Structure formats: structure tokens, C-alpha cells
Amino acid sequence: MLEMIFFYFQSFLSGIIEFGIVYYAYKNNLPIPVLIAIGCAYQFGNIIRNFNVKKLGLIVNILVLISVFFIENLAFKLITLAFIISWNLQMTRDVFKSKSNTMLKRCFRILGFTSIFFINYRLILFIFVFSIIMLLIKYDEISIKNKINLKINNSDLIMLTHQLHYFSYCYIVFVLLLDFNMPKILAIFIFVLGWITYTSTQKILNSNMNINNAIIAHFLLALTLILLGVFHNSSFWASVFWIITGFFGGTVYILKNYLNVNCYISNSHINYIEDLGHIMGALISLIVYYFTNSLIYPILIAAFFAIATSLQLLWKGRKYE
């Protein structure tokens, strides 16, 4: 019981860190590429826990702990803290993950998102120290599944492009909402609504596993993203379209079931592909924004990936049935 309390508490903290450090950087007027880079760092910490480098993790923790006291560059501090806290939390959460309830885990993560309005540097450091303590306590129980098949086959691309779509625009939309002339707490609430709609899709569809639902949803998702890009200057329409994308993107549960049942892909490999999509999507967002200096193009690229996911399900994916 106590272990599961720690698990859900860490899920709550991961929600605070993933977008909380981005928000803290925004409040300190750091440029948008740095904000996206923080997101990339968080996602890199998420994926690296799949490899057998937990001893290296201890060394990196020491280096980061020293750097926060001796390096004054705020951007560097926040990027490294996002990376190492993510790595620590994900490694220790994995110890309890098999016993957790997915819906409850998502609820605590969303609760973390809602709390980022209160983020400050002391809270970030507190979470960092807490993550180190949990890592030391659970270090011997951390089992790195180093037998993950790193090869990406055709069916893996279905989940990869789905994850690419979301993480190539989610940090952009977060910044977009914060830039609107509205109270920051309202902007954060609207952002969280997109996650609530995402989480509620499976409930709304009564866990229906019909692959056609995912095909149609991703086509509609692409259309909604295009509209989001077109109306990105309108706080009302940008908010509405962002919230709607959550409903369509929430059909990811159908993709997971499809890959499990029809393509015989293990949950551990699917998780790895998801993590890979997260970091690649965030990097694409960073690169595209850096060279275009526009919030529109990452959103339109997200629409492309949504269409790609739908087309794969419609054509290539069917041969695995």
C-alpha cells in the first residue's frame, strides 16, 4: 500500500516537472527554443531508463547536484534538472509500475499538470532531492530490461508516428496558450483540459477496440490540427481545437491493443517505441521552430504525423491482422 502511494506521488511529481520546469523557464523570459529543449531533456531522461546505465545515473546525479550550485546559467540548470529528475522518477516508478492502475496514474499526472502554476526553483530542487532519495532507496530493486528489441519494424511505425504527432506540437501549444492575453492559471487549465479529454476517450467509447475508430479519429485529429494552425492567433479557437485534439488522440489505447493482439508486440517494446516517439517528436518541434521561428509549422507537422498514423492503420497495418 505504501509503495503504491509513493508510485502515484511520483506520477504527480512527474506531471509537475514535465511542464512545470517549462513554465518556470517561461516566467523567467527564456526563449522558446530553451522551453522546448527542456521538454526534450525531460523526454530524454524518460527513454534512457530503458537501458542498463543506472550506475551512470548515480554519477550524473552527483554532477548535476554540484552544477546547480556552481553554474549560474539558468537555461543550463533547468535543462539538466529536467533530464535527471525525469530519469530518476522513471527508474524508481518502474519498480511499482506493474501493480499500478493506468487510469489512476494518469489522474495523478494530470493533477501534477494543474499544480505547475505554483512552480518555483525551490520546489524544483525539492523534487530533485526527493528523486535522489527514492533512487537510493529503490536502487537495488531497479531492474533494467536490457533485452528490448531496438529494431523498428513496419507495425512499430504506427505507434511511433502517433507519438511523433503529439510531442511535435504539445510544447508549442503550451507556449501558445501562455502567450495569449489571459490569466496564466486559465491558460494552464485549458492546457490540462486537453489532457482530460485525452484520458476520457476510452471511457466515452466504452473501451471499444474497433480499429476503424482510431482510423477515423486520426483523420479528424489531423483536420483539427490544421484548423489549430490556421486559427492559432485566436485564443478562443486555439483553446477549442486543442481540447478537441485530446478526444481524437485518446484513441491511442486502440493502437496499443491492436499492436498487442494483431502484431504480437510486447508491452515493453511498445513502451520503448512510445518513449522514442516522445523524444523524436520534441526534437522535431525544437528543430522546426528554431529554423522557422514560427509556432504554426510544428502544429502542421503534427497534422502530417496524425494522417500518417491513420494511413498506416488503413493500409499497411491491415496485413498484420
Side-chain angles (χ1 to χ4, degrees):
M1 179 63 181
L2 183 60
E3 289 189 339
M4 294 317 299
I5 290 174
F6 275 119
F7 173 82
Y8 293 122
F9 181 60
Q10 285 176 286
S11 296
F12 168 71
L13 294 181
S14 69
I16 294 178
I17 290 300
E18 181 172 2
F19 287 96
I21 296 184
V22 176
Y23 180 52
Y24 182 76
Y26 178 88
K27 290 197 299 181
N28 282 272
N29 300 312
L30 293 180
I32 291 177
V34 172
L35 306 187
I36 305 173
I38 291 170
C40 290
Y42 178 90
Q43 299 305 332
F44 185 55
N46 192 33
I47 194 172
I48 200 172
R49 60 88 154 72
N50 289 291
F51 304 94
N52 194 12
V53 288
K54 70 175 186 176
K55 291 182 180 179
L56 177 63
L58 292 177
I59 298 173
V60 175
N61 269 284
I62 295 171
L63 293 176
V64 174
L65 192 59
I66 293 172
S67 72
V68 297
F69 292 104
F70 294 98
I71 296 178
E72 296 194 5
N73 186 285
L74 181 60
F76 177 83
K77 284 183 178 182
L78 296 180
I79 289 171
T80 53
L81 282 168
F83 164 67
I84 195 61
I85 295 173
S86 171
W87 189 0
N88 290 347
L89 290 177
Q90 297 300 338
M91 277 199 295
T92 51
R93 281 172 72 242
D94 282 351
V95 175
F96 317 113
K97 195 170 185 179
S98 61
K99 305 174 186 177
S100 67
N101 178 284
T102 301
M103 185 60 68
L104 193 57
K105 178 190 72 175
R106 287 179 177 176
C107 288
F108 274 95
R109 191 174 177 216
I110 291 172
L111 185 61
F113 292 158
T114 63
S115 304
I116 65 177
F117 181 75
F118 305 102
I119 196 74
N120 56 56
Y121 192 63
R122 286 185 179 180
L123 178 58
I124 295 171
L125 290 181
F126 166 78
I127 296 174
F128 175 39
V129 172
F130 175 83
S131 72
I132 293 175
I133 293 172
M134 288 302 298
L135 178 64
L136 293 175
I137 292 174
K138 290 296 178 180
Y139 185 80
D140 291 335
E141 297 179 50
I142 296 172
S143 175
I144 307 297
K145 296 178 181 178
N146 205 28
K147 295 181 180 179
I148 296 175
N149 180 12
L150 302 184
K151 182 179 178 182
I152 300 175
N153 56 43
N154 288 337
S155 53
D156 290 335
L157 291 175
I158 295 172
M159 180 58 76
L160 183 65
T161 52
H162 169 85
Q163 298 299 335
L164 282 172
H165 110 266
Y166 181 76
F167 283 90
S168 60
Y169 85 105
C170 67
Y171 295 110
I172 291 293
V173 169
F174 185 52
V175 174
L176 186 68
L177 292 172
L178 290 173
D179 272 347
F180 284 133
N181 185 24
M182 65 171 76
K184 296 297 178 272
I185 195 166
L186 177 59
I188 291 170
F189 176 71
I190 291 171
F191 182 76
V192 170
L193 281 179
W195 272 89
I196 292 174
T197 54
Y198 172 87
T199 304
S200 64
T201 302
Q202 186 171 356
K203 188 74 173 176
I204 292 171
L205 295 179
N206 293 318
S207 297
N208 188 308
M209 297 298 177
N210 189 332
I211 197 69
N212 291 323
N213 288 336
I215 293 171
I216 295 170
H218 280 78
F219 267 120
L220 294 174
L221 173 59
L223 177 60
T224 307
L225 284 166
I226 291 171
L227 291 172
L228 174 58
V230 171
F231 293 99
H232 75 284
N233 286 323
S234 166
S235 59
F236 175 78
W237 287 113
S239 300
V240 168
F241 290 134
W242 159 250
I243 293 168
I244 292 174
T245 61
F247 283 116
F248 297 137
T251 55
V252 65
Y253 78 91
I254 299 176
L255 305 189
K256 290 182 179 180
N257 179 74
Y258 180 75
L259 294 176
N260 269 150
V261 176
N262 297 77
C263 307
Y264 310 107
I265 299 176
S266 67
N267 284 326
S268 61
H269 185 68
I270 291 175
N271 290 337
Y272 166 71
I273 295 300
E274 287 184 295
D275 292 342
L276 185 62
H278 296 175
I279 181 62
M280 288 177 63
L283 284 171
I284 288 170
S285 180
L286 175 61
I287 293 169
V288 171
Y289 180 82
Y290 182 80
F291 284 105
T292 65
N293 196 35
S294 172
L295 296 173
I296 302 174
Y297 293 109
I299 296 173
L300 296 180
I301 286 176
F304 167 78
F305 285 127
I307 291 175
T309 303
S310 190
L311 290 176
Q312 286 180 94
L313 289 170
L314 187 60
W315 302 108
K316 188 185 344 180
R318 290 193 181 278
K319 70 182 182 180
Y320 294 96
E321 293 184 348

